[in-house]
Amino acid sequence: MRELVGRLEALDPDAGAALRVITFFDQLIERRAGLENVVRGAAVLSGHPAVLVDTDRGVRIRVTPDGTRTELTPSEPQAGWCRLTVDSHITVWLEHPGPPGPVEAMVMERAAMSARTILDRTRGRARPQPRHDAELVEVLLDAAASVEDRSHAAKRLRLKPSELARVVAEFDGPLHVGTTSPESDSRAGVGPAVPLLELPKTVAAARAAAQFTAQGTPTDPGPRIVYAEELGGLILLAAAADAPPDTLPDIAAVERAAATAPWMLPTLDALASGGSLRTAAAALKVHHSTLQERTTQAERLLGWPLRDHPGRVRLTVALMLRRLHRNKAQAS
């Protein structure tokens, strides 16, 4: 092969160089080399810094022509740089103004294809399901679909029949199916873990749980991820979101209290979530005596005690009802 490349380069330098590029990347795949070696090869062969980005899997690699891996700056290619994208989420670019020459084009093409081969072999997909599989998810969650159709959809989604799965309902967003918990920065309701063919029965529970989520901010404290099974009978409160807020006086009491100070809502949330005043104080990072004073003020504004179990249960329900009504208003 080396002799053939040499002869071809003597007759046609570009063709010879292209064959050398193809041979180089084929050998990397044969040796089961890693991604960094692929990007390093692209940089050395092209003579320009090379970058590989896979947005689905969170891969970001930059290597300079001397073979050194460096920080990826800038994070996006500049206008006019040579670049190639495959499968909509894998991009290789050279930090060099385009259009690419024959050798540069071949380097990017072979590097991108080699990277895709390695990524598919070693990492799979970082997400439980690709976004373009929404139609398959719809079939899997359709109780009216046949068992054969739902089983086929599960197979296409790479879900194993032996695993339990959950429906994940994004707040005011689409449904997903996965065997792992959603990412911590998500805002979603999660249905119970069940066999794949029983998932349609849990869609309503996942959507109801999503109504109990919050932004997790001082003005909207609460969990960003809510599991339906952890709500128990409280999930029935979701039906109360259809009732006018003025028919639920405890919501109005919470709103009046929240308007008095920026710390009021986080304090009420901590009191409802904590097992004791000391636990709530630790969560808020305030002194126990400070929380005592805040609790006294909150009790006066709400109109019921917060230092006993019944009072905290009432507060918990009031906060959940408030969250349900706010979420319904945001979704509409």
Side-chain angles (χ1 to χ4, degrees), residues 196-232:
L196 290 177
L197 297 183
E198 295 181 20
L199 285 172
K201 301 177 183 177
T202 69
V203 172
R207 284 179 167 151
Q211 296 184 55
F212 288 88
T213 63
Q215 295 178 4
T217 62
T219 57
D220 188 20
R224 293 184 60 83
I225 297 176
V226 173
Y227 289 82
E229 62 261 43
E230 295 178 358
L231 289 171

Side-chain angles (χ1 to χ4, degrees), residues 116-321:
R116 180 172 65 179
T117 298
I118 295 171
L119 286 163
D120 288 344
R121 184 179 66 227
T122 61
R123 306 195 185 194
R125 287 294 180 95
R127 295 171 179 163
Q129 67 193 54
R131 290 180 179 175
H132 60 262
D133 284 341
E135 293 181 357
L136 294 175
V137 173
E138 183 177 341
V139 173
L140 181 59
L141 300 182
D142 184 1
S146 68
V147 172
E148 291 76 12
D149 287 344
R150 284 188 281 144
S151 298
H152 179 68
K155 184 177 180 180
R156 292 283 303 278
L157 289 166
R158 299 181 182 179
L159 295 171
K160 298 179 181 179
S162 59
E163 291 182 316
L164 298 180
R166 295 177 182 271
V167 175
V168 178
E170 292 185 19
F171 177 74
D172 195 23
L175 296 173
H176 304 288
V177 174
T179 56
T180 59
S181 299
E183 298 177 0
S184 58
D185 60 347
S186 301
R187 183 179 177 187
V190 185
V194 297
L196 290 177
L197 297 183
E198 295 181 20
L199 285 172
K201 301 177 183 177
T202 69
V203 172
R207 284 179 167 151
Q211 296 184 55
F212 288 88
T213 63
Q215 295 178 4
T217 62
T219 57
D220 188 20
R224 293 184 60 83
I225 297 176
V226 173
Y227 289 82
E229 62 261 43
E230 295 178 358
L231 289 171
L234 290 174
I235 201 168
L236 298 176
L237 290 175
D242 295 328
D246 54 9
T247 64
L248 302 168
D250 284 2
I251 297 180
V254 170
E255 294 289 6
R256 286 195 304 271
T260 62
W263 49 258
M264 182 60 75
L265 273 177
T267 298
L268 294 178
D269 183 70
L271 288 170
S273 304
S276 65
L277 288 180
R278 292 194 178 277
T279 302
L284 293 167
K285 298 180 180 180
V286 299
H287 193 271
H288 179 65
S289 61
T290 300
L291 183 58
Q292 290 275 14
E293 295 175 359
R294 292 185 179 184
T295 302
T296 299
Q297 183 175 348
E299 289 175 329
R300 177 176 55 80
L301 293 168
L302 292 173
W304 72 81
L306 299 176
R307 301 168 201 268
D308 57 23
H309 183 66
R312 292 191 185 182
V313 170
R314 183 176 177 180
L315 174 62
T316 299
V317 173
L319 290 173
M320 285 189 171
L321 288 171

Side-chain angles (χ1 to χ4, degrees), residues 76-87:
E76 298 290 338
Q78 294 183 8
W81 278 0
C82 304
R83 61 184 296 177
L84 175 67
T85 299
V86 296
D87 293 347

